[in-house]
Amino acid sequence: MNRSILAIDQGTTSSRAFVFSLDGTILASSRYEIRQIYPGDGWVEHDPAMIWKTALQSTRDALQKAGSDVATVGIANQRETTLIWDRGTGEPVYNAIVWQDRRTAPACDRIRQDGHGREITARTGLIADAYFSATKIAWILDNVSGVRSRAERGELAFGTVDCFLVWKLTGGAVHATDATNASRTLLFNIHEQDWDDHLLSLFDVPKGLLPDVRDSADDYGITDSRILGVELPIRGVVGDQQGALFGQACFDPGMTKSTYGTGCFMIMNTGSEPVVSRNRLLTTVGYRLAGQVTYALEGSLFNAGTAIQWVRDNLKLIRHVREIDALIESTHDNGGVYMVPAFTGLGAPHWDPDARAAVVGITRDTGIAHLLRAALEAVCYQSRELIGAMEADSGRQLDRLRVDGGMAANDWMLQFLADILDTVVEKPTVIETTALGAAFLAGTGHGIFASIDEIASRWSRESLFTSDMGPGRRKALVDGWNDAVGRVKTR
């Protein structure tokens, strides 16, 4: 049997590829950054050609470095990011509109004002927000000359990034997505597990644009040998955050993971029945295997690692993230400084697209270290808000949180997270859990793994963090955060 699995992880700031052994060990990897395009306030785009070029090059690099036979391919992707391309040529009609983009917030406001909010949530588990794909699709159809008429003639295809990569890798032979990505479009009925004709009409999206929806471990065709130099079966596709849920082996109801990257995404497995949120969380598909859906509750924060990037790239107060630890260790506390990183609005549980970032509590004594500390602390305070909402919705008390993502490499932040949450925080041995989840799903789809129990046995913990903060100190810090958030909220 071939002894490795290729996973492509196409994210917001980079495209990465990994070759994993069957026990989850990384044999090879490669990474290329993605350029962010900001055409206007709250607008975020990617060049589709760059998405494809970087994904392809990282894949070729990883395959060459691994020097081992690959059995199958899995794909994980930045979710909600929207592309439309020509079915004949494969050429996109417009840049990819990124999940962070807020240009369609006014359209979502109108939809809610017209009384459609509750029915959208009832069918999709989501809220009418610019975060999701539907209004992005409609914007491209209505604002790029000739695109709507071409779509209505069946000449164009829509897809999230996973779908675009499957199309490209198979030479245009397969136009398909998985249930996790479909569930993030505002067009997919999570109860019926199919595209919803009523929602398609509401958002004015032609059904002919849409891909086939398959299981997360399923047949997504064969890679074109002209592209990778080899034919490989693509057997796993998953949205990046659900990929991390699977890679963290959160297979039992109540198990929760949080990924700290560009944004922060916390997901709780809720089992075979969807849990309706009363606290403005999202009900979504966690994964779908053999037609059986595992549902989840999710809270999404639009800006996490972007706060550190802002301090580094815009303020130019540091040159590299390696400088953070030493600077933070030089401080005894946050100096009363709080950063609310609402650069593109506030996500769950506030859902305030018009909120903007702020730093409050600055005094003459405030320095670089305080700003960096405030940026890291902000991620932890927001995580506390999400967990509180999840516990209230699910009726389950969280006793531990599994973490991953680039920011999880910072042990100081993970200790503060355990302190402010007053719970156990676990960091896995393999921190690239999004890619690992895609690999595990591909292995499942290819028949390498017989069950999720077999996958769970491969999860291992590198570090454990427990709270070392008293309740009085915790309350004072949280009160300060709540005051700061109150200053930027608009609704």
Side-chain angles (χ1 to χ4, degrees), residues 119-133:
E119 64 176 325
I120 289 172
T121 299
R123 293 168 186 260
T124 69
L126 311 177
I127 65 171
D129 190 83
Y131 176 25
F132 307 106
S133 306

Side-chain angles (χ1 to χ4, degrees), residues 432-453:
E432 299 292 350
T433 55
T434 293
L436 183 61
F440 281 154
L441 283 165
T444 301
H446 198 59
I448 294 172
F449 305 120
S451 68
I452 59 175
D453 291 336

Side-chain angles (χ1 to χ4, degrees), residues 185-256:
T185 61
L186 281 180
L187 301 173
F188 187 74
N189 190 310
I190 62 171
H191 310 287
E192 297 178 359
Q193 289 294 295
D194 199 359
W195 300 116
D196 191 295
D197 289 335
H198 176 74
L199 296 176
L200 291 172
S201 175
L202 176 64
F203 288 102
D204 200 14
V205 173
K207 195 168 188 176
L209 274 175
L210 304 179
D212 182 36
V213 181
R214 303 179 183 178
D215 288 343
S216 305
D218 211 327
D219 184 350
Y220 289 87
I222 305 293
T223 62
D224 189 323
S225 61
R226 295 170 296 178
I227 295 170
L228 291 181
V230 63
E231 293 185 345
L232 296 172
I234 305 171
R235 293 294 182 263
V237 169
V238 66
D240 53 7
Q241 303 312 318
Q242 286 94 333
L245 184 77
F246 205 85
Q248 287 275 39
C250 292
F251 300 139
D252 296 328
M255 294 186 73
T256 305

Side-chain angles (χ1 to χ4, degrees), residues 92 95 134 137 189 204 323 355 386:
N95 276 345
I137 299 171
N189 190 310
D204 200 14
E323 301 171 45
L386 293 181

Side-chain angles (χ1 to χ4, degrees), residues 9 16 79 99 239-248 250 256-267 298-305 379 383 386 390 401-408 413-414 417 426 428 431-435:
D9 179 9
R16 301 182 298 169
R79 304 169 305 170
W99 57 271
D240 53 7
Q241 303 312 318
Q242 286 94 333
L245 184 77
F246 205 85
Q248 287 275 39
C250 292
T256 305
K257 74 88 197 177
S258 191
T259 298
Y260 298 100
T262 302
C264 164
F265 302 89
M266 188 178 294
I267 302 184
E298 177 176 339
S300 305
L301 310 177
F302 300 146
N303 295 279
V379 177
S383 298
L386 293 181
M390 284 185 177
L401 177 68
R402 291 183 172 178
V403 298
D404 52 70
M407 295 186 76
M413 190 197 83
L414 297 185
L417 181 65
E426 295 182 310
I431 204 158
E432 299 292 350
T433 55
T434 293

